[in-house]
Amino acid sequence: MPKSQMEKFEFKTEVKQLLELVIHSLYSHKDIFLRELISNAADAIDRLRFESLTDTELKKDNKDNIEWKIKLVRDEKQRTLTISDNGIGMTHDELVDHLGTIAKSGTKTFLEQLKKIDTKQDLSLIGQFGVGFYSSFMVADKVTVVSRHAKSDTANKWVSDGEGGFQVEPANKSEAGTDVILHLKDDAQDYLQEHQLRDIVKKYSDFVEHPIVIDVEKEEKLVDQDNKTIKKKVEETLNSRKALWAKAKNEIKDEEYIEFYKHLAHDLNPPLKTIHYSAEGTIEFKALIYIPQKAPFDLFFPDSIKGIHLYVKRIFIMDDCKKLIPEYLRFVKGVVDANDLPLNVSREILQQDAALEKIKKNVVNKILQTLQTMLDKEYDEYVKFYREFGKVLKEGIHYDYENKDKILELCLYETSKTGNGEFKSLKQYVENMPKDQKDIYYIIAENKAAAMMSPHLEIFKKKDLEVLVMTDTIDEWVLGSVFEYKGKKLKAVDKGDLSMADKDAEKEIKEKKEQYTDLLSFMQKELEQEVKEVTFSARLTDSPSCLVLDESGMSKQMEQMFKAMGQDVPAQKKILEINASHPIVEVMQKIFSESKENPVLKDYVQLLYDQAVLAEGGKIKDPLQFVKKISELMIRAAK
């Protein structure tokens, strides 16, 4: 039974601590108070709707045709803002229990977490997961709550200034529900402005199922009184209530999906792919995710991109939930609406993180499955996607160990055998490999044209072996996380030893190494500042020379990437490989045998090195000297 007179209560210790943190630490995030109160109001309506289905005592007073709503009432004279609902309401004891204590588990741990928060960096974390009713005290120096439970004939009033305690006394209220009356602080008077309330509702509560209404003043002409104009207050709904993701897929037209995407992503183009599904089980949520057609200009500036919007029971929490989507999928847009992330302060932050991690895992799997289906069944559409977002998707090979293999299956590459603009997956490459081929061969190059002119491919062309052409700056960095595919090792054609020659060719190279040992030593001494070693090559069939990296060496593309990131790149010496079958070797050997001091020999050595540098797209140190030496050789040849 309700009490007959005013009672005074002291806040529990935890509430005092929480109020202090909320009032003094969340100043820059104070708009969330309205989100929290609207969320509470919506929950109260939902609870009454649900309980009235089975509770006969509630049924008789709450018919199916009742107009559920949440109303915002402004009183500029009294400087109050009221958030009113016709939900289940609260009894006297519930007012005391719910608004005076936090009785649920985890409260102390939660408060300890809040105290440790860096107020400059992590305040948004509190706002994102809700501070409930107590956020009212960020904007109000006094809060009055008038509530009548749906089963009660009487109402009660709860009043507090957010300091030491609160008081409860009987009150008058004709219908069930709750009115939260905020006596606004001097610096919070903006919340009496209609446009301010519209903006906050639009941002945080636009998709709440129940109408959020406000009285607005409109002019109306009285036709029977000579078109006299009068001002009249009418009730206007502020929220759209169109949570597309909450509807069944068969109830949604393609045009609706496209319209919502354009609104969400601020993109004039329709999406390339739409993913709409519901997850049930230990974690329940709905997701509406889009894969865009075109990459945004800021794709490689992750901090500027707004990806997945997180809602909890249709209440907006944040517009870029990085905990829900990894950076390598930052191109996707959409909404995740969870049921298992309640907006109250008595849930520990770690519990929230665990729930978000489960949702993230589910969302990532769904996106990767969709991409795989596109690759298998809508190849042309997938190629469109890959051209736009392949570079970013590949980042996941390095960062997402759990899904590395799935992402690797989604990667496409040009090869030495594909036509212009055509691609192959690793799966297709392996399926086409000769039975005796042990490794997957690849070359890193600026573009395919440059790769095809590389002397490193000569032996592969001769043996009709396919080589993957990797042209993205990120490729080599990503391959640091990939050692093999389907039991086949990935091997760069321009790194380390390459056992490509047949037995006869290997025998010839071995014999020539013995025959020209002194010449090779001479060349290495001449180039000791430039190269690590000079040796004969198993790669070359036509070109006289090429430069090769150690197995762990860094390609030119990788060097450029690190330099662009402002990182120092240590100098590395390459190996100069000489084509043992090229006529130039015999010419040099003849000169070497006649006179080791012949300046022409040194010219040949330098020219072989410079040719190798140019062949890999590098810059020689002295272009003028190079041209001069070529001219002199041409003159000698003409004599």
Side-chain angles (χ1 to χ4, degrees):
M1 294 292 294
K3 307 297 181 182
S4 58
Q5 59 184 9
M6 185 181 72
E7 302 168 275
K8 292 187 177 180
F9 300 86
E10 287 291 316
F11 280 128
K12 296 295 183 181
T13 304
E14 290 87 351
V15 177
K16 289 181 180 179
Q17 294 174 357
L18 179 61
L19 282 168
E20 183 178 348
L21 283 165
V22 168
I23 295 169
H24 298 294
S25 299
L26 285 182
Y27 182 80
S28 61
H29 296 76
K30 61 184 180 179
D31 283 359
I32 65 165
F33 84 91
L34 191 57
R35 179 193 73 178
E36 298 298 320
L37 296 180
I38 288 174
S39 177
N40 290 344
D43 286 344
I45 293 173
D46 288 339
R47 184 180 167 193
L48 179 55
R49 290 171 64 196
F50 176 75
E51 292 189 13
S52 65
L53 295 174
T54 55
D55 192 321
T56 54
E57 192 174 345
L58 288 172
K59 264 187 174 182
K60 64 182 180 181
D61 292 325
N62 296 280
K63 306 299 181 184
D64 293 336
N65 61 356
I66 190 170
E67 185 183 357
W68 307 107
K69 65 182 177 182
I70 301 162
K71 187 163 186 174
L72 309 182
V73 181
R74 300 170 296 142
D75 188 330
E76 295 187 21
K77 290 183 179 179
Q78 297 297 322
R79 306 206 307 178
T80 62
L81 173 65
T82 301
I83 295 87
S84 178
D85 69 72
N86 54 355
I88 197 163
M90 288 179 279
T91 63
H92 169 277
D93 292 342
E94 286 173 336
L95 280 172
V96 174
D97 291 341
H98 295 344
L99 305 187
T101 63
I102 308 177
K104 297 181 182 178
S105 63
T107 302
K108 290 183 178 179
T109 306
F110 183 88
L111 288 168
E112 288 171 6
Q113 292 281 353
L114 293 188
K115 289 178 181 178
K116 295 176 184 177
I117 283 177
D118 181 338
T119 55
K120 292 183 180 179
Q121 297 181 4
D122 297 328
L123 277 178
S124 59
L125 191 65
I126 310 173
Q128 287 158 8
F129 290 95
V131 292
F133 168 78
Y134 303 103
S135 60
S136 305
F137 290 100
M138 289 191 294
V139 298
D141 48 27
K142 185 172 79 169
V143 177
T144 301
V145 180
V146 179
S147 190
R148 174 181 166 183
H149 193 275
K151 286 186 179 182
S152 175
D153 294 329
T154 58
N156 291 279
K157 180 167 66 175
W158 180 100
V159 182
S160 176
D161 59 6
E163 296 294 333
F166 60 94
Q167 61 190 47
V168 178
E169 59 184 296
N172 295 317
K173 186 169 172 57
S174 59
E175 296 179 349
T178 300
D179 301 331
V180 179
I181 305 162
L182 307 180
H183 303 263
L184 297 173
K185 297 177 180 178
D186 291 338
D187 61 359
Q189 296 301 304
D190 284 350
Y191 295 110
L192 292 175
Q193 301 299 314
E194 181 188 322
H195 69 86
Q196 180 84 336
L197 298 175
R198 282 182 183 274
D199 290 345
I200 298 173
V201 170
K202 188 70 177 175
K203 179 177 181 180
Y204 291 110
S205 309
D206 195 42
F207 300 114
V208 170
E209 181 180 2
H210 313 297
I212 303 168
V213 302
I214 192 171
D215 287 336
V216 297
E217 213 170 53
K218 290 192 175 181
E219 292 186 346
E220 183 178 304
K221 289 184 178 180
L222 301 176
V223 179
D224 57 346
Q225 295 185 24
D226 299 325
N227 288 330
K228 182 181 178 182
T229 300
I230 64 168
K231 288 185 178 181
K232 182 179 179 182
K233 281 191 175 182
V234 295
E235 205 170 71
E236 185 175 311
T237 301
L238 301 179
N239 56 325
S240 69
R241 306 170 61 193
K242 295 179 181 178
L244 200 64
W245 62 84
K247 297 171 68 175
K249 285 192 283 188
N250 58 9
E251 298 176 359
I252 304 173
K253 297 178 181 178
D254 290 343
E255 293 78 11
E256 292 180 277
Y257 278 129
I258 293 172
E259 180 186 354
F260 185 71
Y261 166 74
K262 290 181 176 180
H263 165 75
L264 190 73
H266 306 292
D267 190 350
L268 297 177
N269 300 302
L272 182 65
K273 201 71 177 175
T274 300
I275 307 169
H276 185 190
Y277 75 107
S278 298
E280 297 180 353
T282 54
I283 296 292
E284 294 186 359
F285 66 91
K286 297 180 186 297
L288 178 54
I289 297 168
Y290 296 97
I291 298 174
Q293 283 194 40
K294 298 290 183 181
F297 72 93
D298 54 0
L299 182 63
F300 292 96
F301 299 93
D303 291 341
S304 66
I305 294 177
K306 303 298 182 184
I308 297 296
H309 294 223
L310 175 63
Y311 286 76
V312 173
K313 297 179 181 177
R314 298 195 184 192
I315 298 292
F316 174 77
I317 306 301
M318 59 198 302
D319 62 2
D320 184 23
C321 189
K322 295 187 183 300
K323 290 188 177 182
L324 278 181
I325 205 79
E327 277 200 7
Y328 71 89
L329 293 177
R330 59 184 175 271
F331 52 84
V332 301
K333 307 292 181 182
V335 169
V336 168
D337 191 347
N339 290 331
D340 295 331
L341 298 174
L343 294 178
N344 61 58
V345 298
S346 56
R347 284 287 294 269
E348 296 179 53
I349 290 175
L350 290 177
Q351 288 176 322
Q352 301 289 3
D353 283 349
L356 283 171
E357 191 60 35
K358 289 179 181 178
I359 296 175
K360 175 183 177 179
K361 184 176 181 179
N362 190 300
V363 169
V364 170
N365 284 338
K366 191 69 176 179
I367 293 171
L368 295 180
Q369 287 171 13
T370 300
L371 292 175
Q372 186 63 54
T373 301
M374 285 178 68
L375 175 59
D376 295 338
K377 298 181 179 179
E378 303 172 69
Y379 183 76
D380 290 343
E381 289 297 292
Y382 183 79
V383 169
K384 289 180 185 178
F385 156 79
Y386 195 77
R387 288 183 188 279
E388 297 290 326
F389 303 107
K391 292 179 183 179
V392 177
L393 182 66
K394 288 176 187 175
E395 293 175 12
I397 297 173
H398 176 82
Y399 288 115
D400 190 350
Y401 180 80
E402 185 177 351
N403 291 303
K404 181 180 72 173
D405 293 339
K406 293 179 183 177
I407 301 167
L408 201 59
E409 293 286 356
L410 295 169
C411 292
L412 298 179
Y413 303 96
E414 292 180 285
T415 80
S416 57
K417 292 188 175 183
T418 56
N420 290 332
E422 294 180 352
F423 299 91
K424 277 189 179 179
S425 64
L426 286 172
K427 179 181 178 183
Q428 290 171 314
Y429 177 93
V430 170
E431 288 174 349
N432 294 332
M433 283 172 53
K435 290 182 180 179
D436 59 346
Q437 183 178 335
K438 297 179 180 179
D439 300 320
I440 297 171
Y441 298 108
Y442 69 89
I443 184 170
I444 304 286
E446 290 184 11
N447 51 60
K448 185 178 178 182
M452 295 306 292
M453 290 188 291
S454 171
H456 301 102
L457 290 188
E458 289 179 359
I459 190 65
F460 295 91
K461 292 176 182 178
K462 181 179 178 180
K463 292 179 173 292
D464 194 32
L465 294 176
E466 191 169 24
V467 177
L468 297 173
V469 178
M470 300 187 176
T471 57
D472 290 335
T473 308
I474 196 175
D475 281 327
E476 186 176 5
W477 175 70
V478 163
L479 288 176
S481 304
V482 182
F483 303 103
E484 63 177 31
Y485 174 80
K486 303 292 186 184
K488 306 284 187 181
K489 292 183 179 179
L490 275 76
K491 188 166 184 61
V493 301
D494 60 348
K495 285 187 180 182
D497 293 330
L498 196 63
S499 301
M500 292 295 300
D502 53 36
K503 290 183 179 179
D504 291 339
E506 287 179 356
K507 183 180 179 182
E508 181 185 355
I509 291 173
K510 184 178 180 181
E511 290 174 351
K512 289 198 173 182
K513 277 186 178 180
E514 294 173 357
Q515 182 181 352
Y516 299 119
T517 298
D518 292 340
L519 176 62
L520 292 175
S521 297
F522 173 82
M523 296 174 69
Q524 187 160 333
K525 186 175 181 181
E526 286 295 311
L527 297 171
E528 62 183 350
Q529 298 300 317
E530 282 83 16
V531 302
K532 180 179 181 181
E533 181 185 357
V534 179
T535 187
F536 284 130
S537 176
R539 292 173 170 83
L540 301 174
T541 61
D542 300 314
S543 299
S545 61
C546 70
L547 287 168
V548 176
L549 288 161
D550 277 334
E551 201 68 53
S552 59
M554 186 184 299
S555 73
K556 183 179 67 175
Q557 286 76 14
M558 182 70 100
E559 286 184 5
Q560 290 173 345
M561 185 178 80
F562 279 113
K563 286 178 181 177
M565 295 165 62
Q567 297 188 26
D568 292 330
V569 179
Q572 57 178 353
K573 290 184 178 181
K574 296 183 180 180
I575 299 166
L576 178 64
E577 289 193 356
I578 307 297
N579 183 353
S581 300
H582 199 281
I584 191 65
V585 175
E586 291 186 10
V587 172
M588 292 177 69
Q589 177 64 29
K590 183 180 178 182
I591 298 172
F592 181 75
S593 300
E594 293 173 352
S595 173
K596 298 177 183 178
E597 303 302 323
N598 191 330
V600 174
L601 185 61
K602 293 185 178 182
D603 287 346
Y604 278 150
V605 173
Q606 189 63 48
L607 284 171
L608 279 175
Y609 173 72
D610 286 346
Q611 283 179 320
V613 172
L614 290 172
E616 69 171 7
K619 292 182 179 180
I620 56 180
K621 290 182 179 179
D622 192 344
L624 186 61
Q625 189 67 20
F626 177 78
V627 172
K628 183 180 177 182
K629 288 176 181 178
I630 291 290
S631 300
E632 290 174 354
L633 286 173
M634 291 172 68
I635 293 169
R636 289 195 195 111
K639 289 181 179 179

